[in-house]
Amino acid sequence: MTDIYRAIADPIRRKILHMVARAECTQSDIVAAFSISQPAIKKHLAILQEEQLLLERKQGKYCYYRLNTPVYQHEFSQLQRELGLVLEKKLAGLKHFLEEEQ
Amino acid sequence: MTDIYRAIADPIRRKILHMVARAECTQSDIVAAFSISQPAIKKHLAILQEEQLLLERKQGKYCYYRLNTPVYQHEFSQLQRELGLVLEKKLAGLKHFLEEEQ
DNA sequence: CAATCATATAACCATATGGTTATATATTAT
DNA sequence: ATAATATATAACCATATGGTTATATGATTG
């Protein structure tokens, strides 16, 4: 079940997400954009796919990747909510502290 | 230099962030809140500290942890921006596509 | 059909992660 | 002083991560 935290843990995977959001890319487009080997890129793509953030379309010898936008959008807003709550809790604590101080 | 992506990659560390945001906690408070060993918790705390998200205060036999709020706030907004850009790029692509279609 | 290009996969390696148990040390309470 | 509690650390283990090279397969081009 989509662990976006795992997906985004690596900076190369984050850059891949940017690439495939901007436009559909072939695997070799992606390989060309980095200075690591094709199998290494493949593994990153596999992780992004395991986490459902990537869709692929196979055409001839090419494999096109694009963002799975609905999933990304959903997972991103969940993440924002989860991490945003941390700050809200902090604020609530400060508020409480100030109100006790009257 | 603070890799928030590493810090938040594990669900236990995310829960710890919530705990220490809500209130200052001792290490044993945190240990009590999970079903893993004290050394395992200690390692999670060490990672959160390496990434500058946690401040500690030592008092007698207790070690109090609290959120490093400014750093968390800053890193969280950077993260939001970076991951939000992915969606913006997607939207820009769709917009461009529609405008070509007139 | 042969060469080339894109992708897939196997085998390997080093390091990181996430956990354990056992034990040491320091502080506090009885 | 002893016992109990809180924390720290060492040693170990299994698995995951992030990379490599070498090679196979499949599609396209000359």
Side-chain angles (χ1 to χ4, degrees):
Chain A
M1 275 298 68
T2 306
D3 179 359
I4 196 181
Y5 296 96
R6 176 186 181 220
I8 65 174
D10 188 277
I12 290 185
R13 287 198 292 275
R14 295 196 295 274
K15 283 180 207 144
I16 291 176
L17 288 175
H18 279 88
M19 285 190 73
V20 299
R22 193 177 154 285
E24 217 180 29
C25 302
T26 67
Q27 187 180 304
S28 43
D29 290 339
I30 299 169
V31 170
F34 299 91
S35 46
I36 61 176
S37 67
Q38 177 258 325
I41 290 292
K42 186 72 205 308
K43 286 191 194 177
H44 285 302
L45 291 171
I47 287 176
L48 289 171
Q49 272 189 302
E50 265 182 64
E51 303 308 342
Q52 331 263 295
L53 295 174
L54 233 50
L55 295 171
E56 74 170 46
R57 178 173 64 89
K58 213 148 257 176
Q59 186 186 340
K61 69 175 168 181
Y62 297 100
C63 189
Y64 289 92
Y65 292 95
R66 64 184 189 284
L67 185 69
N68 190 343
T69 312
V71 170
Y72 182 83
Q73 195 150 7
H74 179 256
E75 294 300 317
F76 176 45
S77 58
Q78 294 252 118
L79 171 150
Q80 278 188 107
R81 198 174 168 288
E82 181 174 5
L83 300 185
L85 249 179
V86 170
L87 285 176
E88 284 177 38
K89 284 182 181 172
K90 186 67 184 193
L91 277 224
L94 290 177
K95 184 161 174 286
H96 184 264
F97 173 73
L98 289 177
E99 282 165 359
E100 289 303 281
E101 283 294 302
Q102 10 85 30
Chain B
M1 276 303 68
T2 304
D3 179 359
I4 194 180
Y5 296 96
R6 177 186 180 220
I8 66 176
D10 187 276
I12 290 184
R13 286 198 292 275
R14 295 196 296 274
K15 282 180 209 143
I16 291 175
L17 288 174
H18 278 88
M19 285 190 74
V20 299
R22 193 177 154 284
E24 216 181 28
C25 301
T26 67
Q27 187 181 303
S28 43
D29 289 340
I30 298 169
V31 170
F34 298 92
S35 47
I36 62 176
S37 66
Q38 175 258 326
I41 291 292
K42 185 74 205 305
K43 285 192 194 177
H44 285 302
L45 291 171
I47 288 176
L48 290 171
Q49 273 189 302
E50 265 183 64
E51 303 309 341
Q52 332 263 295
L53 295 174
L54 232 49
L55 296 172
E56 73 170 46
R57 177 172 66 89
K58 212 148 260 177
Q59 186 186 341
K61 70 176 167 181
Y62 297 100
C63 189
Y64 289 92
Y65 292 95
R66 64 184 189 282
L67 185 69
N68 190 342
T69 311
V71 170
Y72 181 82
Q73 195 149 8
H74 179 256
E75 294 300 316
F76 176 45
S77 60
Q78 294 252 117
L79 171 150
Q80 277 189 106
R81 200 175 165 286
E82 180 174 6
L83 300 185
L85 249 178
V86 170
L87 284 177
E88 284 178 38
K89 284 182 180 173
K90 186 67 184 195
L91 275 224
L94 290 176
K95 185 160 174 284
H96 183 262
F97 172 74
L98 288 177
E99 282 166 357
E100 290 301 279
E101 283 294 301
Q102 4 89 30

